[in-house]
Amino acid sequence: MATRKKTAFLPAGAEQFLRAKWLEACGLGLIAVAVALLAALASYHPTDPSLNTATGSATRNLLGYLGAHISDIVLQTLGLSGVLLAPVAVGWGWRLWKEHTLQHPWLRLALLPIGLLSAAIALATLRTPEIWPLAAGLGGYAGAWALHSLVAAGQNAGIAAEIAIIGLVSGVISAAIFLY
């Protein structure tokens, strides 16, 4: 019985070419999302309609209704550390676009929330300026909650947790993760 050789649907090298173009498109898409996120965060206005602000006024956010919701959620939850999502997405997008690869993507994705929370904790230790429009503080509600939990855990363990030290250590951890 003769065996039939399977013929390829695409010419030789086409699969690799299409994969490279797909990765380039994904990289450019990631960069575009990062720019949109940055525009939404930069044009945040506390009176824009969002999940916790019911208003009849027009949306001032550059990206409209969706931008107002996204920026409110990011800033309320992560505070200024949410801005770090944009350069991370640009970096990953650039690598996909130009190098067609992203080293250890699952590790980077797993470390992203840890890095964001560490940055939020570091920002939560700083004094909130009068002009900051959110009650959550510079680290958002996640940073404030995590800082409070760390201080409480330290007190329960009999350790006098200095907030400035917690902020410094959290900032170093965050920087190490984002520079990886």
Side-chain angles (χ1 to χ4, degrees):
M1 178 180 226
T3 59
R4 292 176 43 174
K5 184 178 178 184
K6 185 176 178 183
T7 59
F9 178 71
L10 297 172
E15 182 179 339
Q16 186 177 11
F17 173 80
L18 290 174
R19 182 180 186 282
K21 294 303 169 193
W22 170 250
L23 289 173
E24 288 176 12
C26 288
L28 288 173
L30 204 51
I31 292 170
V33 167
V35 169
L37 176 65
L38 210 51
L41 292 174
S43 61
Y44 172 78
H45 197 274
T47 62
D48 279 347
S50 63
L51 296 175
N52 63 351
T53 305
T55 181
S57 64
T59 304
R60 296 183 185 179
N61 196 293
L62 289 174
L63 297 181
Y65 185 75
L66 182 63
H69 275 72
I70 290 172
S71 62
D72 186 62
I73 290 169
V74 169
L75 290 174
Q76 292 275 0
T77 306
L78 296 170
L80 284 177
S81 69
V83 175
L84 292 172
L85 288 168
V88 167
V90 166
W92 292 359
W94 183 268
R95 286 182 179 161
L96 287 173
W97 179 33
K98 291 297 184 181
E99 299 171 9
H100 302 151
T101 187
L102 183 63
Q103 298 295 323
H104 311 292
W106 294 111
L107 178 61
R108 291 176 188 272
L109 200 57
L111 289 175
L112 182 62
I114 297 168
L116 289 171
L117 186 59
S118 295
I121 292 168
L123 287 166
T125 63
L126 302 176
R127 191 173 69 82
T128 305
E130 296 281 330
I131 61 169
W132 183 249
L134 301 172
L138 295 176
Y141 286 115
W145 171 80
L147 177 62
H148 174 73
S149 297
L150 286 172
V151 170
Q155 289 173 346
N156 288 342
I159 302 169
E162 181 66 38
I163 290 180
I165 300 297
I166 292 173
L168 182 65
V169 170
S170 296
V172 168
I173 289 170
S174 177
I177 288 172
F178 285 118
L179 290 175
Y180 169 71

